[in-house]
Amino acid sequence: MSFIKNYIEQQMLNRRKLLLLSAYGLCGAAFGASVRPGRAAPASRDIKVAWSYRDRTNPYWNGIVSGGEAFVESLGWSSGDLINLINGGSSEKSLSDVKSLLSRYGNKTALAIDPNDMPNCRPVVEAVSQAGAYVSTIWNKTDDLHPWDFGDNYVSHMTWSDVQPSEQTARVLFDAMGGKGGVVHLGGIASNNPAIERLKGLKNALKSYPNIELLAVQAADWDTQKANQVMSGFLTRYGDAIKGVHCASDTMAYGVIEALRAEGTENIPVVSYDGNAQAVQMVAQGKLLATVFTNPHWAGGITASLAYHAAIGSFKPSKEPKEHREFYGPAMVVTTKDAKDFKAKYIDSNPQYNWNDFWALAKGPIQYDT
Amino acid sequence: MVPHISAETIRRWVPLFVLLGLVLFFTALNPHFFSVRNFARIAISATPALMVAVGVTFVILMGSIDLSMEGTIAVAAVMFALILNRLGGSVVGVGGLAIPGALVVGAALGAINGLIHVKLKIPSFMASLSLGFVGVGLSLLITGGDRILIDDPVFRSLLTVRFGGFPLMTYVALFCLVVAWFIQANTTIGRNFYAIGGGEELARGSGLNVGRLRIIAFVIAGVFYALGAILAVARLGIAETETGRNFMFVSITSVVVGGTALAGGSGGVWNTLIGVLIVNVIGNGMVVIGLPDYFQDGMLGLLVISAVYLSMDRRAFSFVK
């Protein structure tokens, strides 16, 4: 039962860290108060920081949470002070969690959230602004909903445009295929926005490679086992005509690579998306050609930071330009050339981010198709 | 004179005809479907599901249901990977203990499941569903949401080494299926499962310790879930909480499509084999002929309804609940 022992040890370590950090935090607060005499130190300890997201079985959300925890630790709190609301893929649960949180902490709430699906964003934001609390969202928001319509309470929205990076991985793949041959695409849940955009990126790249043929597109629901089965179906249907595989996520690429391995054909190039630790490792080993890293650690920290700093009044969201309220998050293509350096910098450790530099990695204002 | 074929006989053979019909259908639309290489692919995707479905068959034969498989598989897979990596990372030598280790984990979870169901008198549906959630949570606690990779080439040879075109894991699964058939047909316990499913009051009146038998069935199911977990890890080289995902739907569907009655008392592990093959042939065939996946789910749904309808003589029921 060593995992229980590890857990206890970790908790004790966290407690020690908390003591040290809170001592440090008190000094910092005292210092801050002394150098800015005109301004009282905000009663930051009253604010509760919460992250609401889907689940903990996915490396992406684990990255988000690690960022959120790094942020609260930077305040001198313990990582346990970050409130985790896990909706398990249910918008109803997401909303009711938020309402419970608000009824407990009211306007002392700073919430970072992925509302699970687009329609759920509005009720969440409305509940938060009615309570006078602060919310920053990522990923899911309808196009007609904007932070600036809610004064200061809807602090910001960050999302990622996956079209461009997905097009880049497709180009890397096509070049590796020598610019000709058949390619298959394994997509995410068909109605998910990232699934749509990542396929669109592939199709954009196809335009400049006339000798590449897109043989088939099939949803494998972001799932490793399903991707494994879909890929074996593709192998039966197209056999040797498949010269490359474009996957909409790392988790599906793992299933594809194992399906190829079962056939003893491991030399077919595969590209994916998300930049999970295992995928980056595979890129470094040459088992995967490229993936895209969206920096969930930074996203998790900065989204919490935005809500928190709006709540304590460090900045006034309504005074910020629109590109500071709605913006794209970072995306980096990782290829076999840079995977080793990338892994050392972003996977084996996390860079020390300045959580007060809110828009350091932002990639410009969100564009809407009109 | 045309020999008389009873409705009962037809009912027994319907799943096999459905399977053959599907194979012919997909072959007609894409001849590549009918090849050893493709059958090997279907076998690879079917083996873990077969173990899980065989496990739950025993429970369904008694007229109970077990929905704990996703949690049990997750815990067994993760514990298997942890033990293996802790003991040197190879199944040759001490690391081989990971296999009995995982089976013990499966048996233990099955026993807890059965005890809760029998001793606390909680319907098996609810007891096992809840325990499944507990299992998923437990595996999440153990892994912290991470994936554990298994790189041992000896263990992965279950997937990579082939005899007669089929990978080793297929033969392992077939061997386990024969063991399950032996339990079902040639042991007192196996016969008693049918007795309970056929009429629990009668079985009790005849002096059977029904509670004990129920617990045994859940333990056997747990062991087969663990076998499924090991094969699922062998297939992908990854053990994680998600390893158990989707097995509940696939295994229950397979058992029902294979012709084992949910009410208990009829069917068996060979039916389950046919059912698992039907479900996997559809999954593979839909991709092979290039139909979109929503057809796949829809077709499975229709099959389940028709299979449940055909599995028993409906005239015997005046009402259903």
Side-chain angles (χ1 to χ4, degrees):
Chain A
M1 293 286 115
S2 64
F3 67 92
I4 293 176
K5 200 171 134 234
N6 288 341
Y7 180 75
I8 293 169
E9 272 173 7
Q10 211 185 347
Q11 289 306 310
M12 291 182 56
L13 204 69
N14 284 343
R15 187 144 304 177
R16 216 173 301 150
K17 247 195 247 166
L18 163 73
L19 286 174
L20 284 172
L21 284 167
S22 45
Y24 167 81
L26 280 176
C27 295
F31 177 74
S34 64
V35 294
R36 283 180 300 179
R39 192 169 163 188
S44 59
R45 200 62 200 181
D46 295 345
I47 302 291
K48 298 290 173 189
V49 180
W51 240 117
S52 167
Y53 53 91
R54 191 185 313 146
D55 59 32
R56 288 303 293 266
T57 62
N58 185 312
Y60 180 82
W61 295 113
N62 287 339
I64 289 279
V65 174
S66 80
E69 290 177 346
F71 165 68
V72 295
E73 282 172 356
S74 78
L75 297 173
W77 307 356
S78 94
S79 60
D81 287 332
L82 177 74
I83 301 168
N84 288 261
L85 306 176
I86 299 174
N87 62 42
S90 154
S91 301
E92 290 74 24
K93 182 158 191 309
S94 162
L95 183 59
S96 75
D97 282 352
V98 169
K99 286 186 170 161
S100 316
L101 185 78
L102 291 170
S103 65
R104 172 110 194 258
Y105 299 115
N107 62 1
K108 302 275 187 287
T109 312
L111 174 68
I113 184 170
D114 168 23
N116 188 57
D117 64 17
M118 293 193 222
N120 192 41
C121 192
R122 184 176 286 278
V124 165
V125 167
E126 282 173 352
V128 169
S129 64
Q130 265 166 26
Y134 295 85
V135 61
S136 287
T137 56
I138 63 169
W139 284 117
N140 284 294
K141 171 183 90 58
T142 47
D143 289 357
D144 61 343
L145 184 72
H146 301 290
W148 47 82
D149 296 335
F150 290 84
D152 292 325
N153 297 91
Y154 188 178
V155 183
S156 67
H157 177 75
M158 168 160 53
T159 192
W160 283 260
S161 170
D162 297 348
V163 179
Q164 183 64 29
S166 175
E167 183 179 337
Q168 272 174 275
T169 59
R171 285 171 183 275
V172 171
L173 176 69
F174 297 164
D175 289 338
M177 291 160 63
K180 61 178 193 300
V183 66
V184 288
H185 173 82
L186 286 91
I189 297 170
S191 59
N192 284 181
N193 202 38
I196 297 165
E197 291 193 344
R198 290 169 194 186
L199 178 58
K200 194 172 167 197
L202 169 71
K203 287 185 171 162
N204 285 352
L206 278 168
K207 287 174 196 155
S208 36
Y209 288 83
N211 296 326
I212 299 272
E213 186 193 356
L214 179 59
L215 296 170
V217 171
Q218 174 101 19
D221 305 348
W222 313 116
D223 182 51
T224 308
Q225 310 205 35
K226 179 141 192 218
N228 186 269
Q229 290 164 11
V230 168
M231 190 63 211
S232 30
F234 279 158
L235 285 170
T236 301
R237 186 162 163 215
Y238 301 107
D240 296 336
I242 301 174
K243 301 292 183 203
V245 185
H246 190 269
C247 297
S249 80
D250 291 339
T251 45
M252 293 189 289
Y254 306 147
V256 167
I257 287 170
E258 289 302 328
L260 293 172
R261 181 172 175 173
E263 307 282 330
T265 50
E266 286 169 68
N267 50 0
I268 295 180
V270 182
V271 295
S272 66
Y273 207 106
D274 285 341
N276 293 335
Q278 190 189 342
V280 172
Q281 173 72 24
M282 288 166 103
V283 176
Q285 292 167 342
K287 289 182 187 170
L288 197 61
L289 200 61
T291 182
V292 179
F293 181 68
T294 50
N295 208 338
H297 182 83
W298 182 78
I302 215 67
T303 308
S305 177
L306 277 160
Y308 171 81
H309 282 285
I312 63 166
S314 310
F315 77 109
K316 204 167 164 49
S318 54
K319 293 261 162 55
E320 295 292 331
K322 284 188 174 179
E323 66 260 34
H324 283 179
R325 308 288 298 275
E326 282 188 358
F327 52 90
Y328 286 122
M332 284 175 260
V333 175
V334 185
T335 61
T336 37
K337 268 175 272 168
D338 48 24
K340 276 212 179 74
D341 295 340
F342 181 87
K343 184 169 175 288
K345 193 171 166 200
Y346 289 100
I347 304 291
D348 298 339
S349 63
N350 278 304
Q352 288 292 321
Y353 293 107
N354 176 1
W355 299 120
N356 297 321
D357 190 359
F358 305 124
W359 300 283
L361 304 182
K363 288 270 182 284
I366 295 175
Q367 313 284 336
Y368 294 100
D369 298 330
T370 44
Chain B
M1 203 182 115
V2 184
H4 177 72
I5 303 171
S6 73
E8 186 57 37
T9 315
I10 296 175
R11 201 170 289 133
R12 277 184 65 184
W13 291 97
V14 159
L16 188 62
F17 291 138
V18 169
L19 178 62
L20 294 177
L22 283 169
V23 170
L24 287 177
F25 173 73
F26 288 125
T27 307
L29 289 179
N30 185 343
H32 289 305
F33 179 87
F34 201 87
S35 62
V36 175
R37 287 184 70 176
N38 192 44
F39 290 156
R41 286 167 194 144
I42 293 171
I44 291 169
S45 80
T47 40
L50 175 65
M51 291 297 93
V52 179
V54 162
V56 78
T57 302
F58 289 113
V59 177
I60 291 179
L61 278 179
M62 298 188 309
S64 299
I65 190 101
D66 185 355
L67 303 177
S68 68
M69 54 280 282
E70 297 195 349
T72 307
I73 293 170
V75 177
V78 164
M79 288 306 288
F80 170 78
L82 278 182
I83 299 172
L84 180 61
N85 283 349
R86 192 63 58 84
L87 297 179
S90 172
V91 283
V92 186
V94 220
L97 288 175
I99 294 172
L103 298 184
V104 168
V105 168
L109 288 172
I112 295 171
N113 199 354
L115 283 168
I116 291 175
H117 164 49
V118 171
K119 297 293 173 194
L120 301 183
K121 297 201 185 332
I122 294 175
S124 56
F125 172 83
M126 222 47 235
S128 61
L129 187 65
S130 319
L131 204 78
F133 291 140
V134 172
V136 169
L138 183 61
S139 76
L140 208 51
L141 180 67
I142 299 171
T143 58
D146 287 335
R147 298 157 164 251
I148 308 170
L149 301 185
I150 304 290
D151 269 340
D152 177 24
V154 182
F155 178 62
R156 295 308 305 280
S157 67
L158 280 170
L159 175 74
T160 51
V161 173
R162 295 189 180 217
F163 283 110
F166 287 84
L168 281 182
M169 59 194 287
T170 329
Y171 298 98
V172 172
L174 277 179
F175 175 75
C176 296
L177 177 68
V178 170
V179 172
W181 170 68
F182 183 80
I183 295 175
Q184 172 195 304
N186 295 315
T187 64
T188 324
I189 292 172
R191 303 311 303 164
N192 287 344
F193 291 155
Y194 281 94
I196 296 174
E200 183 164 347
E201 291 308 316
L202 204 60
R204 209 184 291 270
S206 321
L208 286 184
N209 185 343
V210 173
R212 187 171 144 269
L213 280 164
R214 282 193 186 281
I215 296 172
I216 290 173
F218 279 99
V219 171
I220 296 175
V223 171
F224 275 95
Y225 300 161
L227 284 168
I230 294 171
L231 292 178
V233 174
R235 184 174 63 183
L236 291 178
I238 302 170
E240 56 171 337
T241 307
E242 292 279 290
T243 304
R245 178 165 142 173
N246 216 15
F247 273 107
M248 182 157 81
F249 173 75
V250 168
S251 59
I252 303 281
T253 308
S254 303
V255 172
V256 171
V257 168
T260 298
L262 277 176
S266 76
V269 295
W270 294 109
N271 291 75
T272 300
L273 173 67
I274 302 296
V276 169
L277 288 176
I278 290 176
V279 169
N280 282 283
V281 159
I282 291 176
N284 174 280
M286 288 288 178
V287 180
V288 170
I289 64 171
L291 274 184
D293 29 26
Y294 41 85
F295 275 103
Q296 189 173 323
D297 295 341
M299 187 154 168
L300 269 181
L302 288 178
L303 264 177
V304 172
I305 292 174
S306 38
V308 173
Y309 179 77
L310 289 168
S311 66
M312 287 185 91
D313 192 348
R314 296 275 138 189
R315 277 171 306 179
F317 295 103
S318 51
F319 64 94
V320 285
K321 50 185 178 180

